[in-house]
Amino acid sequence: KPRAEWYVIYQDDASFLIFIALHEIGHALADVLALRFRGSAEDLADQFAFLVMTNVNDTELAKRITRAGAAFFYHHGKEVDSQGGHRAGDEHSPSGERAFELLCLLYGRHGDPNIGRALGRPGEVCAGHARDTMAMWNQLLRPYTRLDTGNTFQ
């Protein structure tokens, strides 16, 4: 970058940094609140980050916010696959699965037909998954929310 632009953070970079911060906040919530859940702590943290990033009424904004994360996981998955695949000891899900999870939650919450076509799966699967994931997080966070509805995610 030219010297005058060294401080510029591009939108995709900022979006991915937001994902990382929200992912770590998901871990912190699980730890500090001693949340009881099934499955991987890494998957839970991913879901929290993805839900927060898609918790807007504006589909185009949600797509812009999540694009960098989905692209990173997709390309990282391709790179890892070309080098022999996902390491068995890695606590994170394979990157391709993380990209799918993000796009599935985005589609399930916003119903954008372009995302549905890209996923190649029926929209009902992702819509149901998004509802189930939001319900799980709403139940986990209900004792701690100050929202009148009792739900963190709508």
Side-chain angles (χ1 to χ4, degrees), residues 52-140:
V52 171
M53 293 172 78
T54 60
N55 201 37
V56 294
N57 292 328
D58 183 337
T59 299
E60 290 305 312
L61 175 61
K63 285 171 29 179
R64 282 195 311 271
I65 292 170
T66 58
R67 178 183 58 220
F72 170 82
F73 289 130
Y74 175 80
H75 292 294
H76 182 258
K78 292 287 187 193
E79 181 180 331
V80 168
D81 289 348
S82 74
Q83 297 172 1
H86 189 73
R87 289 189 329 251
D90 190 341
E91 57 195 5
H92 296 91
S93 291
S95 290
E97 290 178 20
R98 294 173 87 184
F100 182 84
E101 175 76 6
L102 173 52
L103 292 174
C104 189
L105 287 174
L106 178 61
Y107 179 76
R109 297 191 78 189
H110 291 277
D112 185 287
N114 293 324
I115 296 168
R117 282 191 292 279
L119 290 171
R121 290 184 64 171
E124 301 81 43
V125 171
C126 291
H129 177 64
R131 278 191 304 274
D132 293 347
T133 302
M134 286 188 297
M136 179 199 69
W137 268 101
N138 284 334
Q139 181 180 358
L140 289 171

Side-chain angles (χ1 to χ4, degrees), residues 11-66:
Q11 180 177 334
D12 286 349
D13 298 337
S15 294
F16 196 68
L17 290 172
I18 290 168
F19 162 74
I20 292 168
L22 290 170
H23 173 94
E24 295 306 325
I25 290 169
H27 282 302
L29 284 172
D31 184 48
V32 170
L33 301 177
L35 300 178
R36 302 206 183 276
F37 57 91
R38 291 184 183 179
S40 157
E42 293 299 332
D43 291 344
L44 186 82
D46 276 356
Q47 287 178 343
F48 176 79
F50 298 156
L51 286 176
V52 171
M53 293 172 78
T54 60
N55 201 37
V56 294
N57 292 328
D58 183 337
T59 299
E60 290 305 312
L61 175 61
K63 285 171 29 179
R64 282 195 311 271
I65 292 170
T66 58

